[in-house]
Amino acid sequence: MGTYVPNTKEEQHRMLKAIGLNSMDELFDVIPDEVKLNGPLDIPKGMSEMEVSMKMREIADKNKVFKSVFRGCGAYRHYIPAIVKQVVSKEEFITAYTPYQAEISQGILQSIFEFQTMICELTGMQVSNASVYDGATAAAEAVIMSKERKRKKALISASVNPMIIETIGTYITGTDMDMDIIPVKDGLTDLESLKDMLDEDTACVLIQQPNFYGLLEDGDGIGGILSGSDIKYIMSCNPISLGVLKAPAEYGVDIAVGEGQPLGIGLSFGGPYLGFMATTDKLMRRLPGRIVGETKDSQGRRAFVLTLQAREQHIRREKASSNICSNQALCAMTAAVYLAAVGRNGLKQVASLSMSKAHYLAERLCEIEGFDMVYKGEFFNEFVTTAGTDVDKLLGTLEEHGILGGYPLNDKHILWCATELNTKNEIDAMIEILKMEVN
Amino acid sequence: MKLIFEKGNTNRGLTLMPECDVPVVNVSAGFERKRELNLPHVSETEISRHYTELTKRTFGVNNGFYPLGSCTMKYNPKINDEIARLPGFSDVHPLQPEHTVQGCLEVYYLADKYLSKITGMDHMDFQPAAGAHGEFTGLKLIWAYHMDRNDTKRDKIIVPDSAHGTNPASAAMAGFTVINVPSTEEGFVDTDALREVVGEDTAGFMLTNPNTIGLFEENILEITSIIHEAGGLNYYDGANLNAIMGVARPGDMGFDVVHLNLHKTFSTPHGGGGPGSGPVGCKEFLAKYLPTPRIVCRDNIYTFEDKSEKSIGRVKDFYGNFLVVVRALTYIMTLGREGLKDASENAVLNANYMMHNLKDTFTIPFGKGRCMHEFVISLEKLKKDKSVSALDFAKTLLDYDIHPPTMYFPLIVHEALMVEPTETETKETLDRAIEIFKEVHNKAYEEPELLHASPTTKPIGRPDEVMAARNPILRANT
C-alpha cells in the first residue's frame, strides 16, 4: 500500500501510549458498533507510486489526443505560452488555501486583484469577482443576481449555448424565478419577439456574444431596447474575442459573464475551467463569491484582503447572495498570467488570427459540394455549415487522419471552429480529405 | 510590492504568435472594439520575477504546518499533479466522440465506484465543482424526490447551529426555508429539539459527522431515523470524512445523499481557493434525479447515458472538474483499502495527541478529553483575563510560521480555534506546534500587547478591513 503518513508504526504506538490508548481501534470506540464497518472497504489494495503511475498512464493512453482540432462549442484549444504553465505549477500557489489570513496570503490576494482588474479591462465593466466555477454557473449566478422583488423572470436567447441554458434551468427550478426562451431568426436573437416578451416581471435578458452558432448578435439593438428600463442586460462572452470585439460595457451591459477557459487553460475534458463575472458599481454588492480589495496595513503599507464579505455564506448563512465558497482561484491566476503574457497586442493578435483562420476555413469548406453556410450573419471564429454527405461518416474519416472535425449539431449541420493553432496547411489538408470523401 | 500593471513599459512584450498565413479578416465597424484595453506590457523576465515574488508572499502546505480545522489541509502528493498533466488527460476536448475518450470515462467510472464504496452510497456524480456546489446539487435531489412523490409541502431543511455557513446558504439557494436546531451542552445534535421541529414540512436534514466540533454523533442512528420517520431525507456534508474512512460510512448511518470535498479528504490541492471538486453521492432510489449525462459501462465500453426524464438537469458545463477527479483517483489507488483507513486512523491519532498535550493549558469545551480528526479550543478565558482574542492568538502563530487554525468557528464556541492537524504531519511537527501554542499562551498572559501587535515578521501587518469594505478599491488603475 502507498501512504503519505510520515510517522512510523513505532512512533504511532508511542503517541497512542502518550494519550493512554493501546490501539488505533480504541480511537474509534465512540462510534456505535451498529454503524462500524465490518471488514475492509471493498476497493482494491493500494500500490506503490510507480505502479500507480503506470496504471494511470495506461488509462490516459486510452484517450485520443488529436493533432488538429476544429471543434469549439464552449471549449477552445488555443496556444498556451510556456511561462503560463510554469508559473501556475509553483507549489505555493497550488497548495495554498483560500486567503483568509491576509498577512501570509498577499501573493494569492494580489494575483486575484490583478485578475479582477484584467476582467474589468476586457469587459469594460467596473467590478469583477474572484471567479466562479465556469461559464454556465457564471450565467446562472448572474440571472439570480438580477432578481428584484417584483421582477423574477429571466429571458434567455435560444442562441445561448444549450448547456448554459440547462444549467440556469437547474439553478432556478424550485425557486421563485422562472425563465422563457427568446426565439432565434437566422441564427440570431429575434429582436421583435424580444420586444413582445418584455413585461414588468422581466428581471433580465441574457444573450451570448458571439452566440452558440458563432454569430455576432445585435448587442446594440438589444441594449437600445433595454436602455432606461430596470431590466438587467446580461451578456455571456468569449474573452479572446474581446481583443477585437466590442466590450460588453460598450453595449450598455449590466452584467458580463463568460467562460475563461480560452485564456491559457487546457481543454482537460471539460474542467477545471473558469467562470468570470463583472458588473457595474451599482450592482457591486450583489455579486456572488469572493472579491479582493486594496487597503492598507497597520503601518500604511499597501495590502489586499477579501472584502465585502457581508454578502457571503460564512457571514450571512441563509441570507447570503450565493452559497459559493471554493471557486477557481488557480484557474483565475492562469488567466491572469496568460493575459500578462499576451498583453493587449497579443490578445488582439490571437483574436484576429482565430477570426481570420475561421473565415478561411469557411471559404474553403464552401468550395466542397454540399457544404454551405447555414447562416448569413457575421461570425467570429465559429460557424455552421451543411454537410453534403453523412455527417458521422465524414467526421469518422477526419478522425482517422488525426483531425477532430466540427461538432455535429444534428445529422445535417456541423459547427466548426478555428483558432490561431490551425495553420493554413492543416486547413488545406483537411479540405482535400473532405473533397475526396464527398466524391 | 508593485502590481504587474505598474511594471514594464509600453511596447514591451513576448513574441508568441506567428504572422497570419491566411488573408486577414477584420471585424466590421459595428462590432469593433473602440474601448481601450489596458493589459500589462511586460517581458517574460518580468512575469517570471513578478510571480516568484508573489510566491514568497504565499503560504502553501509545502511551506509549513496548516492545522486549519474543517479544511483538511493534508499534503498534496506530487504524483497526482504529474498524472493530471498527462496530455492524455489535459489535452482532450470534452466533446470528442465517446470511443476516443474511454480513458476519461474510465476515470469517472472508477472514481464513482470507489467513492461509492467508501461512503456506502450507490452512485456518485462529479459535476459539482466544489463542496457548496455539491450541497446545492444534493439538496436539489431531495427537492426532486419530494416533488416526484407529489409531496409538495416539504419546503424546510433543518440544519444544526454548528453547521458550516454553506449548509444554510445552499438550502436557501435551492429554494428551501432553513430551520436551525440548537446543539446540546455536550456539542451534539439535540434529539429532543430535533423531534420538535420535524413534521410534514420537513424536506431534509444536513449534518456532518464527525460534527464541526470534532465529535462523532453517537446518536446518529436515532437522529437519522427521526428525520426518516417524519418523511424527510438525510444529507451528509462530507467535510469531515477524513476521520472515518474505512471505519464507518455515511450510507450505514442512515444518510441518503452525501457530498465529498475531493480537495480536502482526497488530497487534491486547494489552489489558493479552488478548483475543488464536490461530487454528490446518493442511494439507489435517488439515482434517477442525478445530473445528466451519467457514465455507464457495458461490456467494458464506457458511454454517456443522456437523459433521465427525472434528472434535475445539469449544474455546470460538461462533466465536472475532471483533472481534480484524476488527482483524487490517483490518490485513492495509491492508498487503497488499507491506506485510506490508515490515513483516517492517523488523522484521528494526531488530533488526539495534540489535544491531549494542550488540554492542561487551554480550555477545550467539548469531548471529554477525546476527539476525532479535529478539536476546538475556546480562548474565552484569555479574552476575559487579558483581552487577547482568538484573532490575536492566530495572528501571533503567523510569526511562528504556522498557518493558524480556523477562527471563530463553529459559532457555538466563543473565541474558537479549530485545530485539524491531518495525518500527513510528523510527530516532530506536532510536538513543535504544541510547544508554540503553549509559548504563545504564556506570552498572552505576560505580554498581551505583543499579541495585539502581531504579526510583525510578515510582508504586511494586519490590514484595515473596515477601510477595504467602506471604500472598496476592487481593481487597479491602469
Side-chain angles (χ1 to χ4, degrees):
Chain A
M1 111 191 156
T3 180
Y4 297 101
V5 172
N7 289 331
T8 63
K9 291 287 167 207
E10 192 266 329
E11 284 167 324
Q12 293 169 25
H13 191 67
R14 260 168 43 212
M15 290 165 70
L16 278 168
K17 280 280 175 211
I19 60 174
L21 299 180
N22 291 309
S23 72
M24 288 287 195
D25 288 346
E26 286 177 47
L27 288 169
F28 299 97
D29 55 14
V30 290
I31 301 183
D33 287 338
E34 304 94 284
V35 300
K36 260 193 201 155
L37 203 56
N38 301 315
L41 284 170
D42 184 15
I43 65 169
K45 286 199 311 198
M47 287 184 253
S48 65
E49 179 172 315
M50 191 180 95
E51 288 167 297
V52 174
S53 173
M54 287 163 71
K55 176 73 192 155
M56 291 305 290
R57 276 163 210 274
E58 213 174 276
I59 295 175
D61 286 343
K62 293 178 190 170
N63 296 319
K64 185 172 173 74
V65 178
F66 285 90
K67 67 179 189 331
S68 302
V69 174
F70 291 96
R71 191 168 292 190
C73 209
Y76 302 90
R77 193 201 245 175
H78 286 280
Y79 180 71
I80 303 175
I83 183 73
V84 175
K85 292 176 246 183
Q86 198 65 43
V87 165
V88 299
S89 301
K90 289 177 186 289
E91 213 177 348
E92 290 84 350
F93 295 148
I94 291 181
T95 70
Y97 190 69
T98 302
Y100 285 126
Q101 296 289 346
E103 298 85 348
I104 53 166
S105 309
Q106 288 300 296
I108 297 284
L109 288 163
Q110 181 171 332
S111 80
I112 297 171
F113 185 78
E114 291 172 351
F115 166 79
Q116 289 173 184
T117 307
M118 293 179 196
I119 293 298
C120 289
E121 277 297 327
L122 277 181
T123 57
M125 306 302 292
Q126 288 152 322
V127 192
S128 157
N129 70 8
S131 77
V132 293
Y133 310 130
D134 63 8
T137 57
E141 291 276 11
V143 164
I144 292 170
M145 210 179 127
S146 73
K147 185 174 88 170
E148 303 278 354
R149 201 145 36 99
K150 290 191 173 156
R151 294 184 176 273
K152 294 185 173 160
K153 192 171 64 196
L155 300 182
I156 299 166
S157 171
S159 65
V160 170
N161 186 322
M163 280 192 303
I164 298 179
I165 299 179
E166 194 184 330
T167 303
I168 296 169
T170 309
Y171 265 64
I172 65 175
T173 304
T175 72
D176 55 358
M177 288 194 86
D178 61 34
M179 66 189 225
D180 276 336
I181 301 297
I182 312 161
V184 289
K185 206 170 139 191
D186 304 325
L188 293 165
T189 308
D190 181 20
L191 268 54
E192 290 310 313
S193 302
L194 169 61
K195 278 185 209 157
D196 293 342
M197 291 170 82
L198 295 175
D199 60 27
E200 61 227 17
D201 192 33
T202 309
C204 65
V205 170
L206 167 68
I207 64 157
Q208 182 177 323
Q209 180 81 318
N211 74 19
F212 179 62
Y213 309 110
L215 300 171
L216 299 183
E217 292 278 357
D218 181 3
D220 283 325
I222 296 166
I225 293 170
L226 298 180
S227 95
S229 76
D230 288 333
I231 302 166
K232 307 289 180 299
Y233 186 2
I234 308 174
M235 184 179 278
S236 173
C237 43
N238 174 344
I240 292 282
S241 75
L242 298 178
V244 294
L245 293 183
K246 255 188 190 175
E250 292 180 87
Y251 294 117
V253 159
D254 297 292
I255 311 169
V257 297
E259 174 52 69
Q261 176 273 330
L263 303 173
I265 298 167
L267 291 171
S268 315
F269 196 53
Y273 286 177
L274 166 69
F276 64 84
M277 295 186 76
T279 189
T280 56
D281 278 336
K282 204 173 140 198
L283 294 175
M284 172 175 75
R285 283 171 205 273
R286 288 205 211 169
L287 260 184
R290 315 273 190 224
I291 299 176
V292 172
E294 186 182 330
T295 183
K296 292 199 183 315
D297 81 346
S298 40
Q299 293 174 48
R301 289 174 290 199
R302 172 189 265 172
F304 300 96
V305 290
L306 293 172
T307 193
L308 304 179
Q309 298 193 59
R311 303 160 297 114
E312 291 190 69
Q313 48 79 26
H314 59 290
I315 309 284
R316 289 292 293 281
R317 299 176 79 84
E318 62 265 32
K319 294 191 182 69
S321 60
S322 166
N323 69 341
I324 190 166
C325 183
S326 284
N327 52 37
Q328 304 286 113
L330 196 64
C331 302
M333 182 185 284
T334 310
V337 185
Y338 177 85
L339 288 169
V342 296
R344 176 189 54 196
N345 294 339
L347 189 73
K348 241 180 177 167
Q349 209 183 347
V350 174
S352 168
L353 283 166
S354 299
M355 183 165 173
S356 302
K357 308 268 186 171
H359 283 73
Y360 180 73
L361 172 64
E363 198 185 298
R364 297 275 353 243
L365 281 170
C366 290
E367 288 171 11
I368 306 169
E369 202 186 319
F371 279 72
D372 282 303
M373 296 295 281
V374 173
Y375 305 113
K376 300 297 168 225
E378 186 167 345
F379 63 94
F380 177 60
N381 74 333
E382 287 184 278
F383 57 91
V384 183
T385 66
T386 55
T389 176
D390 184 85
V391 168
D392 286 341
K393 206 165 141 265
L394 207 71
L395 293 171
T397 305
L398 292 180
E399 190 190 313
E400 283 165 23
H401 289 84
I403 300 169
L404 181 63
Y407 182 72
L409 292 178
N410 50 46
D411 56 8
K412 290 189 189 67
H413 295 163
I414 300 178
L415 175 62
W416 298 89
C417 172
T419 72
E420 76 283 3
L421 281 172
N422 301 113
T423 62
K424 176 173 182 294
N425 286 344
E426 193 181 285
I427 295 169
D428 291 341
M430 178 171 76
I431 298 298
E432 291 316 309
I433 296 167
L434 288 173
K435 279 183 175 167
M436 298 258 291
E437 183 67 21
V438 170
N439 295 330
Chain B
M1 177 184 161
K2 280 186 174 177
L3 295 169
I4 196 153
F5 296 93
E6 296 159 353
K7 297 178 176 174
N9 200 346
T10 318
N11 297 329
R12 238 180 236 167
L14 285 66
T15 47
L16 297 167
M17 297 297 151
E19 292 289 313
C20 193
D21 56 3
V22 299
V24 173
V25 176
N26 292 314
V27 183
S28 68
F31 293 112
E32 198 187 359
R33 183 177 182 116
K34 306 262 181 350
R35 196 188 172 90
E36 274 288 294
L37 176 56
N38 294 312
L39 293 174
H41 21 67
V42 283
S43 60
E44 187 164 326
T45 323
E46 288 166 296
I47 295 175
S48 170
R49 296 211 177 126
H50 180 73
Y51 283 97
T52 300
E53 210 179 337
L54 290 181
T55 61
K56 292 182 192 153
R57 304 173 148 237
T58 301
F59 191 89
V61 173
N62 62 307
N63 293 99
F65 189 37
Y66 230 114
L68 192 58
S70 204
C71 301
T72 315
M73 294 298 284
K74 58 172 78 177
Y75 178 72
N76 310 128
K78 299 310 151 198
I79 182 69
N80 303 348
D81 295 327
E82 182 177 299
I83 296 299
R85 277 195 281 265
L86 295 174
F89 291 132
S90 64
D91 201 11
V92 176
H93 194 286
L95 297 176
Q96 285 185 201
E98 279 169 0
H99 67 271
T100 67
V101 294
Q102 288 295 297
C104 293
L105 299 184
E106 187 175 344
V107 166
Y108 275 130
Y109 183 82
L110 290 177
D112 174 351
K113 194 164 121 185
Y114 298 160
L115 289 172
S116 293
K117 296 289 183 192
I118 292 165
T119 55
M121 293 288 137
D122 296 310
H123 299 276
M124 198 61 70
D125 186 273
F126 293 88
Q127 270 191 35
H133 204 206
E135 290 175 18
F136 171 77
T137 308
L139 289 164
K140 281 284 183 189
L141 299 184
I142 293 176
W143 180 85
Y145 165 80
H146 293 308
M147 285 297 157
D148 198 20
R149 291 159 38 101
N150 253 331
D151 200 353
T152 54
K153 292 186 303 294
R154 296 190 179 273
D155 62 350
K156 307 269 191 303
I157 289 286
I158 304 167
V159 173
D161 58 2
S162 60
H164 300 117
T166 50
N167 289 179
S170 300
M173 205 163 157
F176 292 106
T177 307
V178 177
I179 306 285
N180 287 290
V181 280
S183 305
T184 63
E185 278 177 22
E186 290 80 33
F188 293 111
V189 172
D190 184 336
T191 47
D192 292 334
L194 188 61
R195 272 201 185 84
E196 268 171 43
V197 297
V198 296
E200 287 182 350
D201 59 356
T202 301
F205 177 60
M206 300 178 86
L207 185 67
T208 163
N209 194 20
N211 64 24
T212 57
I213 52 172
L215 302 181
F216 194 90
E217 295 279 353
E218 294 170 31
N219 298 323
I220 187 62
L221 289 176
E222 187 190 346
I223 293 166
T224 52
S225 58
I226 291 171
I227 301 299
H228 279 159
E229 277 160 25
L233 298 182
N234 290 296
Y235 182 98
Y236 182 83
D237 174 336
N240 293 346
L241 187 75
N242 205 44
I244 57 166
M245 287 187 293
V247 177
R249 309 188 304 171
D252 301 329
M253 300 175 200
F255 288 98
D256 308 292
V257 189
V258 310
H259 89 262
L260 301 177
N261 299 281
L262 299 186
H263 47 291
K264 297 183 180 179
T265 320
F266 297 95
S267 85
T268 72
H270 279 69
S277 173
V280 161
C282 68
K283 291 285 178 73
E284 189 61 50
F285 73 100
L286 293 171
K288 55 180 174 285
Y289 309 114
L290 282 169
T292 48
R294 303 275 311 140
I295 291 154
V296 293
C297 179
R298 284 189 199 95
D299 306 327
N300 282 325
I301 309 244
Y302 300 96
T303 49
F304 282 121
E305 206 169 60
D306 231 352
K307 285 282 171 194
S308 149
E309 210 180 291
K310 306 209 156 163
S311 163
I312 61 164
R314 296 188 157 275
V315 296
K316 84 182 289 298
D317 279 347
F318 305 111
Y319 330 110
N321 278 346
F322 176 68
L323 295 184
V324 180
V325 181
V326 169
R327 288 177 173 90
L329 178 64
T330 308
Y331 177 76
I332 294 168
M333 295 202 335
T334 305
L335 267 58
R337 57 183 177 234
E338 327 86 325
L340 289 175
K341 187 175 183 198
D342 182 59
S344 284
E345 286 175 346
N346 279 283
V348 175
L349 174 60
N350 285 0
N352 275 283
Y353 180 77
M354 267 194 90
M355 185 174 84
H356 180 81
N357 285 290
L358 293 173
K359 71 174 188 313
D360 295 336
T361 312
F362 293 88
T363 309
I364 295 166
F366 297 113
K368 298 179 190 141
R370 290 276 294 280
C371 65
M372 295 300 283
H373 66 306
E374 65 190 2
F375 60 95
V376 182
I377 291 172
S378 169
L379 294 180
E380 203 175 2
K381 186 169 180 302
L382 183 58
K383 178 82 190 281
K384 217 159 65 191
D385 293 349
K386 292 285 165 185
S387 293
V388 170
S389 64
L391 181 76
D392 297 324
F393 198 95
K395 296 301 177 193
T396 308
L397 289 175
L398 297 174
D399 282 328
Y400 289 87
D401 291 326
I402 288 182
H403 192 290
T406 298
M407 310 177 297
Y408 300 100
F409 184 80
L411 306 178
I412 57 172
V413 180
H414 296 293
E415 298 299 322
L417 286 180
M418 182 193 238
V419 185
E420 181 182 8
T422 85
E423 73 279 11
T424 58
E425 298 300 333
T426 62
K427 180 169 175 297
E428 301 91 281
T429 301
L430 303 178
D431 285 337
R432 176 73 187 128
I434 290 161
E435 225 172 86
I436 291 169
F437 273 59
K438 287 181 179 172
E439 195 178 314
V440 173
H441 191 261
N442 279 343
K443 214 185 204 178
Y445 275 94
E446 285 158 15
E447 299 171 282
E449 62 288 352
L450 289 185
L451 275 76
H452 293 139
S454 63
T456 56
T457 61
K458 298 296 145 191
I460 61 160
R462 289 191 209 181
D464 186 343
E465 298 194 18
V466 175
M467 179 166 109
R470 280 216 187 121
N471 175 28
I473 304 172
L474 309 178
R475 55 159 298 172
N477 287 322
T478 47

